[in-house]
């Protein structure tokens, strides 16, 4: 049983929605960021980059307070307003390749604590606490956690009916995406959606593990500091974007390594031969067609690597993941890379970029070898989460990626 609630969103006025909405801060190049801050006074980037107002870079707690100040200024200037009644918000994105549609709502911190909202990645304590402090100071969250649920005909029909009406927002972006937002505040419809989620035994985090963990820490601290705690306070929930499993798009991350850990090319191939059947493909760009098949680019040539299954023992859901097999049989024992998050010898390219990008990076001399594989499936993610295991870092790159600033959840 999962608790998914409507909430009163703070959001931009209809005429400014497209101007306010921004991609995640780290997605912008320096030139793009400067242009947005210079020429678009309504961009949400002004809130999350508050030092721009003073032409000064500000970090730490002082930055958190300035973020809150910029946010309050947007409200004072009537760029933002708060809905008077709780609602669910349908968000739809049409890209050049895919269409995504789901519900923005408040998910329960208690469900996360009780493993009704299940994770498949480890989190870093330092990042959890940093974002918790950020949330505590600014008092709002604008980046929904991406949750996925089993396809529901009932919810699907509600979304189709609601989206036949005029949206609250409709705007296009420079990367040829179109974004839509509808509001559902009808009490009967809200009750039906809520009831559907209550029948689901669990939900799964697709993206946003640190945001979940930080929200949990904030709720725990707030509860401890509130003698009148009732369980209905806004800090007991976190904003989420819930999307059916069938609409998730999961890409792989390729691995790039700077050196062969002292091995010559010939010695390196001999080491791999213990666990993989190797075929030199020359200049033929090889894409894996099956699980446990990998591609490798080394010194101007492509290779296919097929796991020798007669040698390898599958013990649990983690051991079947190609990202784990690559780590367990090549990256760690042969190339000496144990810390996949922090080792400077490894870099990642998400699978939306073509395999040719691996070739380009290796040919440039920056990296010595690159590896690719098929994407992990939603069933694999769920199985790992159900078993209480965690995937290696950078196992999945999942879409959709939402714009910031369209719905804001206040604590």
């Amino acid at each position: 049983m999962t608790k998914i609630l409507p909430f009163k969103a703070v959001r931009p006025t209809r005429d400014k929605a497209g101007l306010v909405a921004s991609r995640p801060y780290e997605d912008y190049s320096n030139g793009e960021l400067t242009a947005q801050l210079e020429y678009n006074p309504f961009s949400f980037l002004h809130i999350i980059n508050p030092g721009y107002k003073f032409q000064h870079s500000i970090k730490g707690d002082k930055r958190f307070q300035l973020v809150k100040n910029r946010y309050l200024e947007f409200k004072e200037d009537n760029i933002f307003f708060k809905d008077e009644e709780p609602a669910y918000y349908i968000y739809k994105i049409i890209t050049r390749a895919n269409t995504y549609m789901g519900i923005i709502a408040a998910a329960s911190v208690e469900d996360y604590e009780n493993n009704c909202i299940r994770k498949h990645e480890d989190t870093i304590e330092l990042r959890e606490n940093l974002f918790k402090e950020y949330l505590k100071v600014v008092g709002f969250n604008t980046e929904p956690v991406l949750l996925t649920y089993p396809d529901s005909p009932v919810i699907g029909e509600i979304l189709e009916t609601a989206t036949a009406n005029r949206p609250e927002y409709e705007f296009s972006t420079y990367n040829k995406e179109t974004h839509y937002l509808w509001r559902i505040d009808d009490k009967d419809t809200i009750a039906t959606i809520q009831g559907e989620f209550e029948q689901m035994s669990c939900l799964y985090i697709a993206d946003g593990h640190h945001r979940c963990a930080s929200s949990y820490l904030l709720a725990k601290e707030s509860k401890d500091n509130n003698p009148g705690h009732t369980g209905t306070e806004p800090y007991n929930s976190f904003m989420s974007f819930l999307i059916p499993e069938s609409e998730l798009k999961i890409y792989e991350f390729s691995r790039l390594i700077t050196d062969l850990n002292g091995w010559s090319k010939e010695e390196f191939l001999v080491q791999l031969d213990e666990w993989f059947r190797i075929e030199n493909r020359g200049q033929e760009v090889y894409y894996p067609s099956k699980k446990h098949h990998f591609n490798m680019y080394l010194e101007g040539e492509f290779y296919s690597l097929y796991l020798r299954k007669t040698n390898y023992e599958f013990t649990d859901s983690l051991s079947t993941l190609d990202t784990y097999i690559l780590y367990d049989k090549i990256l760690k024992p042969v190339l000496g890379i144990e810390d996949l998050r922090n080792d400077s010898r490894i870099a990642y390219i998400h699978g939306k970029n073509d395999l040719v990008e691996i070739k380009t990076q290796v040919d440039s001399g920056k990296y010595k070898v690159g590896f690719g594989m098929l994407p992990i499936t939603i069933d694999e993610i769920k199985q790992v989460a159900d078993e209480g295991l965690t995937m290696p870092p950078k196992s999945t790159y999942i879409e959709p990626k939402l714009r910031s600033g369209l719905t804001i959840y206040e604590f």
Side-chain angles (χ1 to χ4, degrees):
M1 177 176 173
T2 58
K3 186 188 297 182
I4 300 299
L5 301 174
F7 69 102
K8 299 176 184 179
V10 174
R11 53 193 182 90
T13 56
R14 185 193 295 266
D15 61 314
K16 295 182 179 65
L19 295 169
V20 169
S22 71
R23 305 197 308 270
Y25 181 82
E26 61 274 8
D27 280 4
Y28 290 88
S29 67
N30 289 335
E32 285 181 301
L33 185 60
T34 300
Q36 282 288 320
L37 293 171
E38 183 71 22
Y39 299 111
N40 181 4
F42 303 110
S43 174
F44 194 78
L45 293 169
H46 284 283
I47 294 177
I48 57 180
N49 190 50
Y52 179 79
K53 183 175 182 178
F54 308 106
Q55 298 298 304
H56 183 65
S57 178
I58 302 170
K59 297 181 179 179
D61 292 346
K62 187 63 178 176
R63 176 179 172 271
F64 298 167
Q65 185 58 51
L66 289 181
V67 167
K68 183 176 182 178
N69 291 348
R70 294 294 87 74
Y71 173 66
L72 293 176
E73 288 170 7
F74 268 50
K75 293 180 73 175
E76 292 162 2
D77 292 340
N78 296 317
I79 299 170
F80 286 147
F81 71 98
K82 187 170 185 176
D83 281 324
E84 295 181 358
E85 298 294 333
Y88 292 123
Y89 301 87
I90 303 174
Y91 190 18
K92 182 178 181 180
I93 308 171
I94 299 178
T95 73
R96 282 176 283 190
N98 299 294
T99 296
Y100 308 101
M101 184 163 65
I103 299 173
I104 297 175
S108 167
V109 168
E110 185 179 13
D111 284 347
Y112 175 77
E113 182 180 19
N114 294 336
N115 201 35
C116 293
I117 295 176
R118 296 183 180 173
K119 62 182 184 178
H120 63 267
E121 289 183 5
D122 276 330
T123 52
I124 300 170
E125 186 176 0
L126 179 64
R127 287 182 61 190
E128 290 178 15
N129 284 299
L130 180 64
F131 192 59
K132 184 261 290 183
E133 290 301 314
Y134 170 83
L135 293 174
K136 184 167 67 172
V137 173
V138 302
F140 68 87
N141 187 14
T142 188
E143 295 186 24
V145 173
L146 184 61
L147 300 179
T148 189
Y149 63 90
D151 288 46
S152 162
V154 173
I155 294 177
E157 184 176 344
I158 289 173
L159 299 190
E160 288 298 325
T161 300
T163 55
N165 301 316
R166 182 191 180 193
E168 293 282 321
Y169 305 142
E170 178 181 1
F171 61 90
S172 296
T173 57
Y174 293 120
N175 58 351
K176 296 184 178 180
E177 293 180 352
T178 306
H179 296 252
Y180 305 85
L181 187 90
W182 291 264
R183 187 169 175 272
I184 296 180
D185 60 1
D186 174 74
K187 289 182 171 53
D188 290 339
T189 306
I190 286 175
T192 300
I193 293 174
Q194 212 168 324
E196 281 296 300
F197 281 113
E198 287 176 352
Q199 294 180 42
M200 299 178 189
S201 59
C202 63
L203 304 171
Y204 295 86
I205 302 171
D207 189 27
H209 286 78
H210 282 90
R211 276 167 275 156
C212 272
S214 299
S215 296
Y216 165 70
L217 291 176
L218 177 64
K220 187 173 184 298
E221 181 178 306
S222 299
K223 177 182 177 181
D224 292 343
N225 293 331
N226 181 8
H229 174 83
T230 65
T232 61
E233 297 84 356
Y235 59 70
N236 292 292
S237 301
F238 57 91
M239 187 166 63
S240 58
F241 180 51
L242 297 111
I243 188 169
E245 292 174 3
S246 63
E247 289 195 21
L248 277 184
K249 181 63 177 177
I250 305 173
Y251 297 93
E252 75 282 6
F253 271 102
S254 299
R255 274 75 167 133
L256 293 166
I257 316 298
T258 57
D259 60 79
L260 297 183
N261 199 29
W263 305 103
S264 68
K265 172 184 174 180
E266 292 73 23
E267 291 170 335
F268 178 62
L269 292 173
V270 169
Q271 293 295 316
L272 301 192
D273 190 79
E274 177 181 359
W275 292 102
F276 300 91
R277 177 181 173 181
I278 305 170
E279 184 175 343
N280 187 330
R281 303 278 179 157
Q283 297 302 305
E284 175 193 355
V285 179
Y286 168 71
Y287 291 91
S289 59
K290 297 180 180 179
K291 286 292 183 184
H292 314 321
H293 289 190
F294 303 82
N295 61 56
M296 181 175 73
Y297 185 71
L298 173 65
E299 293 191 5
E301 295 178 311
F302 289 95
Y303 294 81
S304 58
L305 308 179
Y306 299 161
L307 179 68
R308 297 185 188 276
K309 296 179 183 178
T310 53
N311 294 356
Y312 187 83
E313 184 179 2
F314 297 104
T315 56
D316 54 27
S317 60
L318 183 62
S319 68
T320 68
L321 297 181
D322 286 345
T323 52
Y324 179 82
I325 292 169
L326 184 65
Y327 170 71
D328 190 51
K329 298 306 177 189
I330 299 179
L331 299 183
K332 181 180 178 180
V334 181
L335 294 175
I337 296 175
E338 296 195 24
D339 188 345
L340 294 174
R341 292 187 187 276
N342 301 310
D343 197 313
S344 61
R345 296 171 56 223
I346 186 169
Y348 303 90
I349 300 176
H350 63 68
K352 287 194 72 178
N353 293 326
D354 194 86
L355 182 58
V356 175
E357 179 66 16
I358 296 178
K359 180 180 186 304
T360 301
Q361 292 288 339
V362 173
D363 287 347
S364 73
K366 186 177 181 180
Y367 300 99
K368 184 68 175 179
V369 61
F371 299 93
M373 67 211 85
L374 289 178
I376 285 171
T377 67
I378 184 61
D379 287 338
E380 289 177 310
I381 290 175
K382 291 169 62 176
Q383 190 171 355
V384 167
D386 289 346
E387 293 179 20
L389 303 172
T390 55
M391 296 182 179
K394 299 293 185 182
S395 286
T396 57
Y397 178 87
I398 298 180
E399 289 192 337
K401 305 292 185 186
L402 276 64
R403 296 263 158 167
S404 295
L406 291 179
T407 58
I408 298 170
Y409 184 83
E410 290 187 330
F411 304 112

